[in-house]
């Protein structure tokens, strides 16, 4: 059993019975940059609401957030330093939003991670519970704003639990 078993560390149930595998991906790089910016779109009911940008990940680690009109938000988390500078809007940001929306369609929530390399949109990953869903946003007002993006399904009459998102 791998010591990096995600189910045990973060109780991420989707990984519970997954047999550990090694996956090799193509190395991505862009001229003039030591580390690629990682664009993480937070999508609710298939609609991207804001994007987290990780800068210099693995070296200096900082991040910031922008809304879908590319206005910088004062949103941050405690663990990663807030990036004070401005990030240039990628020339393919409109395409990135469309890709995130298509990948997140029919899902109550997912985070879609993309890269922009020389104006091309590349897929990174999707996750349903970033940071094990245990990270709070600051200032506190954002926890309410982001929480309100979630639309929870109604429990059908006579049932204790939601067993399907499909309605008749």
């Amino acid at each position: 059993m791998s010591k990096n078993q995600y189910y045990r560390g973060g109780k991420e149930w989707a990984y519970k019975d997954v047999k550990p595998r090694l996956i090799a991906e193509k190395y991505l790089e862009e001229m003039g940059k030591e580390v690629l910016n990682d664009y993480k779109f937070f999508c609710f009911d298939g609609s991207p609401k804001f994007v987290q940008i990780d800068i210099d990940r693995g070296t200096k680690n900082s991040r910031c957030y922008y809304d879908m009109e590319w206005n910088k938000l004062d949103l941050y988390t405690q663990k990663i330093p807030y990036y004070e500078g401005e990030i240039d809007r990628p020339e393919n940001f409109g395409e990135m939003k469309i890709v995130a929306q298509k990948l997140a369609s029919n899902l109550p929530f997912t985070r879609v991670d993309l890269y922009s390399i020389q104006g091309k949109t590349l897929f990174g990953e999707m996750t349903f519970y970033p940071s094990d869903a245990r990270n709070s946003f600051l200032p506190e007002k954002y926890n309410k704003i982001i929480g309100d993006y979630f639309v929870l399904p109604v429990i059908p009459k006579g049932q204790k639990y939601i067993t399907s998102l499909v309605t008749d």
Side-chain angles (χ1 to χ4, degrees):
M1 185 61 64
S2 168
K3 66 180 183 181
N4 290 329
Q5 223 290 349
Y6 291 104
Y7 170 72
R8 290 191 178 151
K11 302 300 181 217
E12 296 180 33
W13 63 268
Y15 297 117
K16 184 176 182 197
D17 296 319
V18 174
K19 183 177 179 181
R21 302 266 187 216
L22 182 62
I23 298 173
E25 298 177 327
K26 181 179 178 180
Y27 179 74
L28 301 176
E29 64 182 337
E30 188 167 19
M31 292 288 287
K33 290 188 176 183
E34 187 177 330
V35 181
L36 296 174
N37 288 347
D38 197 350
Y39 299 88
K40 299 171 178 291
F41 290 81
F42 286 69
C43 303
F44 301 82
D45 289 324
S47 178
K49 298 293 187 185
F50 61 96
V51 60
Q52 167 187 313
I53 303 145
D54 285 354
I55 302 114
D56 293 329
R57 191 169 182 187
T59 58
K60 298 175 194 156
N61 281 10
S62 61
R63 80 171 38 137
C64 59
Y65 297 82
Y66 282 80
D67 67 17
M68 291 297 98
E69 303 304 315
W70 206 254
N71 299 302
K72 192 172 185 186
L73 303 171
D74 61 342
L75 172 62
Y76 66 98
T77 60
Q78 284 184 325
K79 293 183 180 181
I80 306 292
Y82 180 76
Y83 181 74
E84 297 288 343
E86 292 294 325
I87 301 293
D88 290 333
R89 180 180 173 152
E91 62 186 69
N92 58 323
F93 186 67
E95 178 186 63
M96 293 171 81
K97 289 192 297 187
I98 292 168
V99 168
Q101 184 175 14
K102 285 182 179 182
L103 290 171
S105 67
N106 299 319
L107 296 171
F109 169 78
T110 192
R111 192 191 74 203
V112 178
D113 299 0
L114 302 171
Y115 297 98
S116 175
I117 300 178
Q118 297 172 338
K120 294 181 182 170
T121 302
L122 293 153
F123 175 75
E125 68 173 328
M126 292 170 62
T127 186
F128 301 107
Y129 22 71
S131 301
D132 302 332
R134 295 185 289 180
N135 235 359
S136 292
F137 292 103
L138 298 167
E140 182 65 34
K141 69 179 182 179
Y142 283 106
N143 291 305
K144 169 84 169 106
I145 291 167
I146 295 166
D148 286 346
Y149 291 144
F150 284 95
V151 178
L152 300 176
V154 176
I155 297 174
K157 195 170 195 157
Q159 286 185 214
K160 287 185 172 184
Y161 310 102
I162 296 168
T163 56
S164 173
L165 293 178
V166 179
T167 57
D168 295 327

